[in-house]
Each structure stands twice: as C-alpha cells, then as structure tokens.
Amino acid sequence: MQQQAVEHLDVLTKTGLKTGVSRPRGDVHRDGDYHRAVHVWLFAERTQELLLQRRASCKDSWPDLWDISSAGHISAGDSSLITARRELEEELGVILPKDAFELIFISLQHSVINDGKYINNEFNDVYLVTTLDPIPLEAFALQESEVSAVKYISYEEYKRLLAKEDSDYVPYDVNGQYSQLFDVIEKRYKENTVARNLTLQKQISRYAPVSLSAELSGLSDLDREALGLVVKAAAVMDEIFLLQSWYSNPALRDWLKEHADSSELNKLKWSYYQINKSPWSSLDEDVAFLTTADSAIRLFSNATKTVRDWKGVEYRAAFSVPKPAGANFYPPDMDKMEFDLWKDSLEKDEQKEATGFFSVIKRHSEFILDSHQSDNKGSSHDLYIVPYSEEYQPLLAKAADLLHKAGDITDSPSLKRLLHSKADAFLSNNYYDSDIAWLELDSKLDVTIGPYETYEDKLFGYKATFEAYIGIKDDEATAQLKLFGDNLQLLEQNLPMDSAYKSKDVSAAPIRVIQLLYNAGDVKGPQTLAFNLPNDESIVKDRGTSMVMLKNVSEAKFKHILLPIAAACVAEEQQELVDFESFFTHTICHECCHGIGPHTITLPNGQKSTVRLELQEFHSAVEEAKADIVGLWALRFLISQDLLSESLLKSMYVSFLAGCIRSVRFGLEEAHGKGQALQFNWLYEKGAFVWNTEGTISVDFTKIEEAVESLSREILTLQAKGDKEAAGLLLQKYSVLSEPLKVALKKLENIQVPVDVAPTFPIASKILQ
C-alpha cells in the first residue's frame, strides 16, 4: 500500500510573512508555528443563511462539532485562492470559478487544545461565497474523512450560538476579529437606502458634467471617414481596461447597466460606476462604493451533483472591498515575495518580460484547476507569463481590424503609418515601431491608442493599461509651444542637481495641442490635462517623448474648478493672479519636465537600471511631483533667460498654489494627489506658502524660489541614485493632509466646488450609436 505523503506547511513570522521554511503539519501544531489556512463561507442571500459543516469524528481538532462551510491549511508552496477553491471541491463537492470567492478579511487565531498537544497559531484568509439561494443539501458530495453532515443556519442565530459558546459549535470570537464576518453581512443587507442615495448623489456631484467637442471642418473627407473607425477601435480599449482592473468588472458593468432603470439607487450606482469604471471610487482613495451584494448574478450549472428541477448555483460575481493592489495583472493571492523569488529564478530575457509593460502573470495551478487536468506542471514555480496579445486576443484582434481599415482610408501619411503599426503591435505585442510612429505623427486627426500608463499596477508599477485619446490638432496653439521643446537641453544642463547625473543628449519632446473629442480605456475618475508618452525607457532613450495637451479639458477645469478654488482658498489680494495662461503654461512645462532629469541611471554598484525599476511603487508619485516642481523651477529659469514674459512670474506661483489644492482633492492614493501633497507641505514648511489667520493661503514671493529649487534638488537626486528608501521616507513625511490642506478641503466641500469634470462626447456618441 502506498504511503500518503506528509503535508508540509509554510512557517510564517508573527506578522504573517513567509520565513522560507516549511515543516510537517504535525510538527507545526506541536510547536505552535505560525502558518496559514483558508476559511470559506457559503452565504445564501435570499434566506440570510450560512452553510455549516459537521466535522468528522476522526478529526484531530474539534471532532463532531459544527464549523465553517469549508476550511483547510494552505500547503507549502500553494496559494490562498486555489486552496479555497480546492477545499470547497474536496470537502463538499462544490466547484466554483474564482469570481465566486471574495476575500473579506484575514484573522489570526490562537488556540491550545488536546491537553496542550495541539497549538494553533493560524492566519486565516476568510472568503465569502454569496449564492442567491441555499444549495440543496442533496447536491453536496461530502468527503467522509473530513465532513459528516451539512446544514444551513441563519447568520444571526449562528452568531448568538457562538456568543454563548454553545458546545456543539467550534468556537470563534464574535466580539473579536471574527465579528467582521457578521458585520459584513449586516452592513450589506440592512442598509439604509435613503442614506446610500444621498452618499452617491454627493459623490457624483463632485464631478462637473462638461460636453467636449471639436471643430471637424479642418479634416479631409477621408479623415472624417477614418475617424468613425478610430472611435470604434478606441471603444474597445474600454472593454480591455475593465478586464485589466478586475476579472469580474465586465460582468458588473453589464449588470449595472441592465438594471439602471429599475430604481433611483440603481440609476445612481450606474452613473457613478461610469465615472470610475470599477466599484472603487477614485476620489476616495479607492474605497469601494459598491459591494458584491450589488454585483452581477451568474449561473454555474455544473457546480455540484445534478439535482432534479434545480438549475445550478446562482452566485454573485465577487470583488474585494479593498482595491487589489495588483489589479488583474497578477494572481489576486500573489504577494511581492512570491513574485520576486520566481522572477529571480528566470533567465534575463524572461525577467525583462515578467517586469515589462505588456504581460500578465498567471498561475499554473489555476489553469490546472480550471481545465480539470492532473497536476503535472513541469516548472517548480507556480507563476508564468502571458503576453497581452494572447491574454486579450479577441478584443485586440477587433481593434486591430478597425485600425487597419482606418489606415487604408486616411490620406495623412503619418496617421496611416501609425494606425497600421499600432494594429500590428496589438497582435505581435511589440510596440516599438508603433510608438516611434506615434512620436512622428503630424496629422490634423490626432490619435493615441494602446497600453501606456502603469498607475493601475499599485503592486509594482510595471503593467500598462489600455487607453485612447482622439482629438483634432489645434495648429495655432501648437505653434506657440515650440519654445519649450527648443530649450529642453538648456533646462537639463541647468537642473538643480549634481552635473554627474545630467544627460548630455536630451531630445526635445514635440508638443501637440488638441481639442479632445473622445477618450476611452484607463481614463477613469479625474481627467488628465495632458500626457507625455511613451513610458518605455528604451524608446525614451533612443527617441525621447512627445506630449499631447488637451486644451478644451484644461479650459473646462480652469473655469469649473480652479477659479472657485482660488476664490475660496487663496488670499484675496492674490486671487486676481490666478489666470488660465499661467495654469496652461505650467501644465505644458510639467509634461516637458517628464522628459528631463534621471530616467536610465547607474547605481552605486555600477549596474545600469531605470528610476522606475528602482523606486517601484513610489515611482509614479515621485515622478509626478518631479514634473510639477521642476516645471515650476523651469518656468522661473526661462523667465530669467528672457524666453518667457516677466508678467508670468507672480501669477504662475499663485496659480500653482490653487492647482496644488485642486490635485490633493484627487486623494492621497492617487499618484498626482500624493505628489501635490508632498509639494504643498514642503513649500509650507519652508515658509513659501503662508497660512493666513482667516484660513486662506498666500505665496511669499521672497521665499518661493529657494523652496522650489530645494525640493527639485531633493527629488532629482534621489531619482538619480535610485534611492527607494529616501523616496519612501519623503512621501511618508510630506504626502499627508496637513492642517492648512484639511481646512481648505473642508471649505471646498462645504461650498461644493466640483473636484473634477465628467466629460461627455457628442461627436463620438453619435458614431458609436
């Protein structure tokens, strides 16, 4: 008879991190080693009942007592979500896809039983599976060695039994960590609809609705025809982005849209979802404004044994209330340590792909579970790489087809090249040529489409999201901006940092000003005023970057947001200094300054790297702060060289102050908000911003220049050194809501100044109908 292998568990530290050691399960419980397990609760929404299992009499802990629906240790090398799915299948015969499982909290359990022979120091990943109705008891297939019976019980009754420590039930502290299970259910199903309506109305009112259009008379007839196809391709970016932010997000979108007219509350949910493109609110540091109870109902007919006249398990497509840091780019239960150990085991070129912009990371074990194959993975590691061209193949093929057709039609040679090369890139996953074509675009119809920004990947900042910006080039405004591009090398040579870090060959970033007529994909929440692309360091090094300014978006924000902010928060005698020219000029300079300063760097050990790779999750916020503060420094420098008018001097600083307050309202989770808080608090600490007795803020023109220069130096130097620790400490100290900011934000909330704009696009809407 074959001996059963002894189960090994990963030994953890007291804070739940892996030590790198694994031990047999018996030894772990004998010695009280910290380890991890999963708890899976089946909850029936309509009856408000939880499923309990009775533990088999042969169990070494709590035999014959009623317990969690399904639970089990996470074996050494295994992952949490896979274990949760596997335990449910093995113990109860219930097979469900990953979108049925919601991680609701992690609890730490300490217990000693069996006369001190069984010490349990266990981190429990607690999952909730929300079904519409109870699963018929005859549908379960019980694992006799683990489970002797199952029953449904009202969650309130179960909580009462645990509170009085009923001896038939495995004990859980309902007044301690485990109260969260009952709190989650209670909050979801006993909500006050009126209060929730008001909350959503208030959240939506922070966005001023604006209609953005553009004059099409400058387009040739062929380009007008191409525009229709390009807008349709751009709409596909929305579909891909929804999937990139979370795997059940497309189902949630369809469900909310379908039910929007059924009640006032559902209408508000749909309105606010359309702004955020996910259940997480961008302006509230990604706090969820929806829960799984609001989500799509899905039918899984093969989840259990067949039962007559029962169609199968209907469940809610789940999402976690805290926004997953890795979005849908990595397995939801992967941590940084697992990724780094795997990455270090790869060959150099595979490492580059793993940390590159255009791939997702998946699990072999998930593929095996989903395809019901036997576990014969050749690799010792569970993670593997899937390129975007494969992961999003059907959607990218659709977008590529539309772009090729548009490319055949347009009579602009540079646009023709861009559309064809971008379509090819969608299918090959090689974006180099298409990014060069984008840099060289010189066309009245301006198109940006593809995977670019990495803000959504809050785990590492590696993975790019798909987006699209379609606009009409404003030739007059574009001609005025040549000054910045022409003087980029001059700015680089004069940057306030050690000359050793300065680049000898900065290529000027060409600037195009457009009137936006459609955006899609990762354009959620606060609207961007401008962007500087590409982000791929290899192209930046070879060819530099190009910038696109969205003039009609800037005008809308200045009118609806910046002027009211200045009226409320800036000292009265300085309010007239806030003007659109200064605001727009600094926005341009901000984008130009992404192109100067350190990018590819040499580390103290002589190794080549990039700022992005070294600063990891701090990179986005630090880079935004750099572009802002160095942008302000650069304007002052250009004025001193008589390249810009002296009349800008005071107005640019006061407009910047109003802009700081505007961006901090985006929340300190968001890279721009975090970067602006850092700048505001640094300048406030140095006395350059003064908080007046009546609660307004003013600029001290005698101190501002020195303060701007000192922060520029600080940021540029830590970037040049790739000093992640210094970046973390700088953000920790200064990216906070200081008292002046709190007072300003409260004031703006009271008078209900919008935080941002929510655009509609009449031209594109007509095309997409």
Side-chain angles (χ1 to χ4, degrees):
M1 194 171 115
Q2 205 179 0
Q3 255 193 320
Q4 208 178 354
V6 176
E7 184 183 17
H8 278 63
L9 305 179
D10 284 317
V11 175
L12 309 178
T13 65
K14 284 184 178 179
T15 55
L17 299 173
K18 285 182 183 171
T19 59
V21 174
S22 70
R23 300 184 68 205
R25 173 182 165 164
D27 296 1
V28 164
H29 282 296
R30 182 194 68 208
D31 299 339
D33 291 330
Y34 285 82
H35 59 285
R36 196 172 283 280
V38 295
H39 290 181
V40 182
W41 292 94
L42 293 183
F43 174 70
E45 196 174 83
R46 283 197 178 126
T47 60
Q48 299 283 289
E49 291 178 314
L50 289 162
L51 181 84
L52 301 187
Q53 64 155 271
R54 179 171 247 160
R55 295 170 70 83
S57 51
C58 56
K59 295 289 288 179
D60 57 2
S61 62
W62 315 111
D64 289 322
L65 299 193
W66 290 101
D67 199 3
I68 302 154
S69 313
S70 168
H73 289 106
I74 301 175
S75 299
D78 278 355
S79 68
S80 172
L81 182 56
I82 297 296
T83 302
R85 292 176 64 189
R86 205 183 280 140
E87 288 294 334
L88 198 61
E89 181 178 351
E90 287 173 3
E91 293 188 354
L92 305 181
V94 178
I95 301 167
L96 285 170
K98 70 177 176 183
D99 72 347
F101 294 76
E102 177 188 357
L103 179 65
I104 50 174
F105 64 96
I106 296 167
S107 77
L108 176 54
Q109 204 178 352
H110 299 287
S111 60
V112 181
I113 54 172
N114 302 354
D115 301 324
K117 293 182 190 134
Y118 189 101
I119 305 168
N120 200 28
N121 286 319
E122 192 168 82
F123 286 93
N124 298 306
D125 292 351
V126 182
Y127 289 91
L128 187 66
V129 173
T130 304
T131 63
L132 219 52
D133 296 295
I135 296 170
L137 297 187
E138 61 269 34
F140 294 105
L142 307 184
Q143 184 182 15
E144 287 175 14
S145 61
E146 297 283 337
V147 185
S148 61
V150 289
K151 69 173 180 183
Y152 273 100
I153 182 173
S154 120
Y155 83 89
E156 289 170 317
E157 172 63 12
Y158 180 50
K159 186 180 178 181
R160 275 196 295 276
L161 290 165
L162 290 178
K164 68 174 198 177
E165 297 180 13
D166 189 296
S167 59
D168 284 340
Y169 295 81
V170 175
Y172 292 99
D173 182 4
V174 291
N175 297 313
Q177 291 177 315
Y178 231 89
S179 66
Q180 292 174 85
L181 170 67
F182 303 98
D183 294 345
V184 162
I185 295 170
E186 186 118 345
K187 195 172 171 207
R188 282 180 192 182
Y189 296 99
K190 290 192 174 176
E191 69 170 3
N192 178 333
T193 307
V194 176
R196 193 161 177 209
N197 274 350
L198 285 170
T199 301
L200 280 165
Q201 281 165 359
K202 198 171 170 187
Q203 288 176 305
I204 292 164
S205 73
R206 294 176 298 179
Y207 289 90
V210 296
S211 173
L212 296 182
S213 219
E215 182 52 63
L216 300 183
S217 57
L219 288 186
S220 68
D221 290 345
L222 289 173
D223 274 0
R224 280 193 191 211
E225 203 182 326
L227 172 64
L229 294 160
V230 170
V231 166
K232 285 174 182 169
V236 179
M237 301 304 105
D238 256 347
E239 299 302 314
I240 300 175
F241 174 65
L242 292 185
L243 205 49
Q244 288 185 303
S245 31
W246 188 243
Y247 44 78
S248 61
N249 200 20
L252 174 64
R253 187 269 317 266
D254 295 345
W255 178 265
L256 292 172
K257 187 179 181 182
E258 189 190 329
H259 293 83
D261 295 332
S262 61
S263 72
E264 180 59 23
L265 178 57
N266 284 346
K267 191 176 173 180
L268 291 168
K269 287 179 194 171
W270 172 232
S271 294
Y272 201 47
Y273 177 87
Q274 286 175 283
I275 290 172
N276 291 284
K277 300 196 178 191
S278 83
W280 300 286
S281 172
S282 299
L283 286 181
D284 299 295
E285 304 191 353
D286 291 329
V287 170
F289 62 94
L290 299 171
T291 71
T292 297
D294 301 305
S295 190
I297 294 170
R298 312 194 80 169
L299 172 66
F300 204 65
S301 48
N302 302 327
T304 63
K305 288 192 304 195
T306 310
V307 173
R308 217 174 135 190
D309 299 330
W310 183 61
K311 57 184 176 183
V313 175
E314 285 183 289
Y315 67 91
R316 293 275 184 188
F319 53 86
S320 88
V321 170
K323 187 176 182 183
N328 194 21
F329 300 119
Y330 310 92
D333 52 2
M334 183 203 84
D335 58 23
K336 284 185 156 191
M337 186 177 178
E338 182 185 3
F339 180 88
D340 287 335
L341 285 170
W342 165 68
K343 184 195 77 180
D344 293 345
S345 74
L346 301 173
E347 298 296 323
K348 269 278 179 280
D349 57 337
E350 278 192 303
Q351 284 192 15
K352 199 175 172 191
E353 199 183 348
T355 59
F357 291 104
F358 314 124
S359 64
V360 295
I361 309 301
K362 298 204 146 184
R363 289 197 183 283
H364 288 292
S365 53
E366 186 187 322
F367 177 75
I368 289 158
L369 200 59
D370 287 339
S371 55
H372 307 292
Q373 295 182 6
S374 57
D375 190 350
N376 58 351
K377 63 180 188 210
S379 160
S380 59
H381 285 276
D382 195 20
L383 302 175
Y384 68 101
I385 301 164
V386 181
Y388 280 0
S389 52
E390 197 179 305
E391 178 71 0
Y392 311 120
Q393 197 278 330
L395 291 167
L396 287 172
K398 182 181 172 184
D401 181 51
L402 288 161
L403 291 183
H404 275 312
K405 283 176 178 164
D408 290 341
I409 292 168
T410 178
D411 51 4
S412 158
S414 67
L415 181 60
K416 189 181 281 289
R417 185 183 157 212
L418 170 70
L419 297 175
H420 285 307
S421 62
K422 191 62 77 175
D424 291 341
F426 283 166
L427 304 180
S428 69
N429 218 47
N430 181 347
Y431 285 87
Y432 192 93
D433 289 345
S434 71
D435 277 343
I436 299 294
W438 182 83
L439 287 170
E440 293 173 354
L441 180 65
D442 182 14
S443 157
K444 190 73 181 169
L445 176 56
D446 198 276
V447 178
T448 301
I449 187 167
Y452 285 109
E453 303 294 3
T454 59
Y455 303 125
E456 196 72 1
D457 175 4
K458 289 194 164 73
L459 200 61
F460 289 108
Y462 293 153
K463 306 298 172 192
T465 46
F466 283 82
E467 63 186 19
Y469 291 88
I470 316 300
I472 305 298
K473 189 162 138 197
D474 183 329
D475 293 313
E476 192 187 334
T478 299
Q480 289 170 346
L481 303 180
K482 204 168 165 290
L483 164 84
F484 292 97
D486 290 351
N487 288 288
L488 222 52
Q489 187 64 56
L490 179 68
L491 290 170
E492 174 79 24
Q493 289 322 119
N494 286 280
L495 280 175
M497 67 170 174
D498 194 309
S499 294
Y501 301 135
K502 292 177 186 176
S503 181
K504 301 285 181 287
D505 52 350
V506 172
S507 47
I511 307 169
R512 318 198 281 264
V513 179
I514 68 168
Q515 303 289 352
L516 184 68
L517 62 83
Y518 185 53
N519 68 11
D522 187 1
V523 293
K524 64 184 192 309
Q527 295 295 299
T528 193
L529 295 173
F531 48 86
N532 193 58
L533 296 172
N535 289 321
D536 188 332
E537 289 91 355
S538 61
I539 300 172
V540 175
K541 197 163 181 281
D542 293 351
R543 299 294 300 270
T545 59
S546 187
M547 188 197 328
V548 176
M549 311 281 310
L550 313 177
K551 192 167 186 184
N552 50 352
V553 180
S554 291
E555 285 165 342
K557 291 203 190 204
F558 184 78
K559 178 183 162 189
H560 291 282
I561 300 158
L562 210 74
L563 286 178
I565 285 175
C569 301
V570 173
E572 199 175 342
E573 69 278 7
Q574 293 188 352
Q575 284 177 15
E576 63 186 27
L577 292 167
V578 177
D579 64 18
F580 180 70
E581 190 194 353
S582 304
F583 174 64
F584 193 58
T585 308
H586 179 256
T587 308
I588 296 160
C589 215
H590 166 108
E591 295 303 334
C592 284
C593 288
H594 278 305
I596 58 175
H599 289 282
T600 303
I601 56 174
T602 306
L603 299 175
N605 63 6
Q607 199 184 326
K608 287 263 186 262
S609 186
T610 66
V611 178
R612 182 175 76 92
L613 281 176
E614 293 308 313
L615 299 194
Q616 291 188 345
E617 73 271 24
F618 301 137
H619 171 65
S620 290
V622 169
E623 178 58 28
E624 287 307 325
K626 176 206 88 174
D628 255 341
I629 202 74
V630 173
L632 203 52
W633 168 87
L635 289 179
R636 177 69 192 99
F637 178 79
L638 292 171
I639 290 168
S640 73
Q641 302 295 301
D642 296 328
L643 291 165
L644 280 175
S645 162
E646 186 88 31
S647 66
L648 266 178
L649 195 56
K650 286 186 173 177
S651 64
M652 74 183 191
Y653 290 127
V654 185
S655 299
F656 177 80
L657 163 60
C660 262
I661 299 167
R662 181 184 76 86
S663 294
V664 169
R665 297 173 85 207
F666 299 153
L668 300 192
E669 281 303 301
E670 201 266 349
H672 300 79
K674 204 176 265 186
Q676 285 279 20
L678 156 62
Q679 295 165 81
F680 178 93
N681 290 320
W682 179 285
L683 297 176
Y684 175 55
E685 183 187 86
K686 302 285 184 263
F689 286 164
V690 181
W691 194 25
N692 305 307
T693 45
E694 71 277 19
T696 58
I697 305 163
S698 54
V699 175
D700 182 335
F701 297 113
T702 64
K703 293 180 178 169
I704 186 92
E705 281 181 34
E706 197 181 315
V708 166
E709 187 164 318
S710 65
L711 180 57
S712 299
R713 181 176 289 106
E714 182 86 12
I715 291 175
L716 290 164
T717 304
L718 72 83
Q719 284 188 322
K721 292 177 175 174
D723 191 340
K724 185 181 175 184
E725 189 188 358
L729 290 170
L730 188 69
L731 289 168
Q732 190 184 350
K733 182 176 177 186
Y734 291 101
S735 287
V736 294
L737 277 185
S738 55
E739 212 46 46
L741 283 175
K742 278 184 195 163
V743 169
L745 297 189
K746 191 76 199 143
K747 204 185 275 190
L748 297 175
E749 195 185 330
N750 291 341
I751 59 171
Q752 295 193 326
V753 174
V755 178
D756 211 76
V757 294
T760 49
F761 301 103
I763 294 171
S765 298
K766 206 169 170 187
I767 291 167
L768 294 169
Q769 274 167 2

